[in-house]
Amino acid sequence: MTHNFNAGPAILPASVIAQVREELPNYQGTGISILESSHRSSQYEIINQRAIERLKRILGLGAEHTVCFVQGGASQQFAMLPMNMLQTGRSGGYVLTGVWAEKAFEEAQRIGNAHIVASSKAGGYRHIPLRSDFAIDREAAYLHITSNNTIYGTQWHDLPVNNTVPLVIDASSDIASRTLDVRNVAMIYAGAQKNLGPSGVTVVVMRNDFLAQMHDQAPLILRYKTHIQSNSLYNTPPVFSVYMLDLVLEWIESIGIEALSAQNHHKATLIYDCIDQSGGFYRGHAAANARSMMNVVFRLPDEQLEKAFLAAASAQQMIGLAGHRSAGGIRASLYNALPVASAQALAAFMREFVRTHG
Ligand SMILES: *Cc1c(COP(=O)(O)O)cnc(C)c1O
C-alpha cells in the first residue's frame, strides 16, 4: 500500500477511485463516458446541482449562501475577489500568514487598494496573528484570511468573524476537514485538489448580501454574478472534476464532518506526538497553538538527515513528504482522504528513524 502524503493534488478516497474506474466507460447506462458527456446533458445537470447542495449541507449553510464552481484554481480567486469588490475605491484587508496569503495580497494591490491587517512574516510564519493586533480599516470591503497555511503548516483554530467587515477565507487546504461555524462568513473559496477532489475546479461559497455588493466592472467571465446566475454553467465547466467533486462530497457526507474532524485530529496528533517526544530531533515549524491538522511541517537536525529521511520513507512507500520548495524540510499532508493507517505508518517510521539516526 502506498501512503500518499502529497500536498496537492493529493490523495482521494479509495472508494471514489474505484467507483470512477467502474463507471468510466459507461456512465449510468448512457452508453458513453462522463468524459464524453455534454455539460448541458441532464446527467451533468444532476451532478452539478447535487454537488452544490452537498457542499452547502456539509458546511452547514442555508438559503443565505450560494455556491458556484469556477476554474483557474484558488490563484484565480486572488484576482477575482478584488476585481469584483475593490474597483469602487474601497480597500481589502489581508492577514499575511504565508506564501498564499502574500500572493492574494499582491494580486489585490495590482487591482485596487489593499492593506495588511496583520502579519506573522517576521516570525517566519510560525504563528497566527492575534486579533488584538489587527489594524483593520473599518470601511474595508472585506477581511481576507488563509484558514490553513499549506506551506508553513499553521491553521486558524477559530475565525475572526466580526459584524463590521465581511470575512473572506481561502480554505483551499482545510475546507470540509473540521467542524467550524461558517454561517457568518461572507465568502469561502477552495481549489478542490487538496480536500475535495481533483484539480480543475474551484468551489466558491458566497453570502448573498456580499454578492449584492459586487460591482459590474469586471469582465463577464471573471464576475461571480455571471457564474452564479448561470448556476455554474455559463461556459463549459470542468465536467470530470465536478463529477469527482460530487463523489468526494458524497464520501464526506457518508462519514460525517464530526467523525472526519475527530479522525483528522487523531492523525495529526500521532505525528505531532512523534515530534514532541523526539528529544529535539524533529523540530516542528508551527508554534504549538497554531499547528495545522492538515499539513505537519518539520525539520531534522540537518539537510543530509532530511534527505536520508525522505529516501528511507519512500523505500517504505511513503511518498510526497518533501517540504514545499520555499520552506524546505519535511511536510506530511494529512487531508481527509488519508487513512489513519498511513498516519500510523509514518509515526512508526519517524520513531524508528530517531532511534537509528538520533
Ligand atoms: C494550494 C493552495 C493555493 C493555490 O491553489 P491553485 O489551485 O494551485 O491556484 C492557494 N491557497 C492555498 C491555501 C493553497 O493551499
Side-chain angles (χ1 to χ4, degrees), residues 71-79 170 172 189-194 201-202:
Q71 302 187 58
S75 300
Q76 183 168 295
Q77 295 307 303
F78 298 167
D170 174 0
S172 291
Y189 63 88
Q193 69 270 21
K194 279 114 184 190
V201 61
T202 304

Side-chain angles (χ1 to χ4, degrees), residues 7-9 72-78 99-101 103-104 144-151 170-174 189-194 199-202 295 331 335:
S75 300
Q76 183 168 295
Q77 295 307 303
F78 298 167
V99 171
W100 297 118
K103 289 195 164 161
H144 180 281
I145 69 164
T146 312
S147 52
N148 184 73
N149 299 283
T150 327
I151 295 173
D170 174 0
S172 291
S173 53
D174 68 349
Y189 63 88
Q193 69 270 21
K194 279 114 184 190
S199 59
V201 61
T202 304
N295 312 94
R331 168 173 58 178
Y335 300 126

Side-chain angles (χ1 to χ4, degrees), residues 117 131 134-143 145 158-168 183-186 207 209:
V117 169
R131 226 77 24 113
F134 280 18
I136 176 125
D137 172 355
R138 299 197 134 267
E139 300 296 305
Y142 56 79
L143 169 65
I145 69 164
D158 48 64
L159 298 176
V161 194
N162 73 31
N163 299 322
T164 48
V165 181
L167 182 66
V168 175
R183 284 170 302 174
N184 287 321
V185 175
R207 215 172 58 206
D209 63 329

Side-chain angles (χ1 to χ4, degrees), residues 324-339:
H324 188 269
R325 54 198 147 70
S326 64
I330 312 295
R331 168 173 58 178
S333 297
L334 313 172
Y335 300 126
N336 281 347
L338 185 90

